[in-house]
Amino acid sequence: MPNDRANSGTEFAGWRIMRSDAGRFWASREQPFTASAEQAGACRTVDADDLRELCQAIAEQESLAEVAAPQ
C-alpha cells in the first residue's frame, strides 16, 4: 500500500492515508482517540472507494470524537 499523503491535501491532517493494491483508500489516525471518543463510536481506521468518501469518513470520526470530548 503506497502512502498517498502527498496527494491528499490538508483535510487529512493527523491521518495517514494509504491506497490498497485494489485501489481502495484507507486512513489511520496518527494519534489514538480518547476512550470516551471510542466509546462514542469513533474508529481510528476508515476506508472508502475514493478520496471524497474517505474525507467524509474521517470527518465523521472526528465529529464523533468532538461530541464525546469532555466540556
Side-chain angles (χ1 to χ4, degrees), residues 1-41:
M1 271 190 195
N3 183 341
D4 278 357
R5 172 169 251 171
N7 298 325
S8 63
T10 58
E11 68 269 33
F12 297 120
W15 289 76
R16 183 177 182 152
I17 309 304
M18 297 153 284
R19 191 171 191 180
S20 72
D21 293 340
R24 192 151 176 83
F25 288 91
W26 293 80
S28 184
R29 197 169 193 267
E30 292 173 350
Q31 298 295 319
F33 283 114
T34 63
S36 61
E38 288 180 358
Q39 289 173 353

